[in-house]
């Protein structure tokens, strides 16, 4: 071999030998994970906000995210990590507010609310098809219903998604009544069931032994707390005017108390209590929110 060629090959062989020893002693050397810089992330968000297809991207992400979220709880229930009833109620409690949070990602286009409503509307069609027997889905029936009867899907679960559709289309981001309705249904009713099953023994309500003081307190606190948090967030994002703390406390307290009273009534044999809570809150939205909490204006987060 020529001296020049040898001088080129020797360092290469030495590096290869050294790498071979490192591989044998420590395993393969993996490349460092790629990091997304803040500037790149900011550029991506800016490009997404300026895209004419922004609302469609958010719609697709929200729809996929909703399926993944529900499947996650189905998996946790199937492998015994969560009991079935707890899994069902956690889905009930969390799905609504997570969906509401996606509203902030849509543009100011007037049709954005219609596209956002597609997400719960797809679930409505699925529940209706399975509940009426048009489609067979035993897994959905077992995960959503209390007794395994498919017709239960046409009661509470169907009213749940109807409330989400109504809150989205009728109230959207410029009327806090939609946020209140979702909060009472999810944070209130969902938490009432979870807490009532665990802490409600020995403290039944005097006029309805199927409900407990612990569950009713959880309904009041959970509904009020979720509504206060969502309204404060959307107010901070500039979607509607902020309210004095005393006004917000009084209005939300009255609404949460009324919703708790409806939830505690012994009317489940005739009317699903979700119906009463959501109908009452949506009537505020339909009436134009004449009280102080409803004097709002729309301030879009970003033009689109």
């Amino acid at each position: 071999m020529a001296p020049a060629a040898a001088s080129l090959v020797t360092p290469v062989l030495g590096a290869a030998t050294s790498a071979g020893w490192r591989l044998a002693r420590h395993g393969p050397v993996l490349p460092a994970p790629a990091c997304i810089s803040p500037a790149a992330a900011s550029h991506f968000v800016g490009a997404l906000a300026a895209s004419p297809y922004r609302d469609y991207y958010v719609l697709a992400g929200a729809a996929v995210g909703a399926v993944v979220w529900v499947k996650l709880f189905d998996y946790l229930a199937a492998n015994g990590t969560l009991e079935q009833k707890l899994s069902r109620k956690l889905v009930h409690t969390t799905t609504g507010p997570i969906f509401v949070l996606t509203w902030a990602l849509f543009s100011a286009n007037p049709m954005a609310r219609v596209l956002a409503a597609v997400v719960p509307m797809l679930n409505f069609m699925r529940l209706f098809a399975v509940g009426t027997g048009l489609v067979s889905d035993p897994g959905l029936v077992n995960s959503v219903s209390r007794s395994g009867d498919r017709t239960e899907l046409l009661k509470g679960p169907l009213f749940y998604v109807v409330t989400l559709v109504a809150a989205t289309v009728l109230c959207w981001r410029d009327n806090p009544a939609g946020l209140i309705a979702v909060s009472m249904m999810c944070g209130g009713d969902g938490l009432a069931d979870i807490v009532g099953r665990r802490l409600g023994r020995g403290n039944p309500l005097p006029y309805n032994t199927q409900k407990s003081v612990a569950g009713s307190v959880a309904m009041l606190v959970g509904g009020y707390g979720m509504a206060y948090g969502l309204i404060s967030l959307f107010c901070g994002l500039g979607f509607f005017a902020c309210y004095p703390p005393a006004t917000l406390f009084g209005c939300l307290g009255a609404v949460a108390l009324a919703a708790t009273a409806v939830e505690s009534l012994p009317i489940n044999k005739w009317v699903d209590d979700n119906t009463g809570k959501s109908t009452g809150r949506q009537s505020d939205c339909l009436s134009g929110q004449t009280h102080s909490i409803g004097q709002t204006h729309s301030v879009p987060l970003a033009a689109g």
Side-chain angles (χ1 to χ4, degrees), residues 180-181 183-185 187-189 192 215-228 231 248-264 277 280-281 284 291 293:
I180 297 172
S183 298
M184 296 304 145
M185 181 180 66
D189 181 61
S216 294
V217 171
M219 168 80 193
L220 180 65
V221 175
Y224 174 88
M226 183 175 290
Y228 189 94
I231 290 176
L248 194 59
F249 176 83
C251 290
L252 288 183
V255 171
L257 190 61
T260 301
V262 172
E263 195 271 344
S264 69
K277 290 189 293 291
R281 303 290 69 76
D284 290 341
H291 48 71
I293 200 171

Side-chain angles (χ1 to χ4, degrees), residues 142-154:
N142 291 332
S143 63
V144 174
S145 67
R146 292 182 176 94
S147 63
D149 182 3
R150 62 175 173 80
T151 60
E152 284 191 30
L153 275 61
L154 303 177

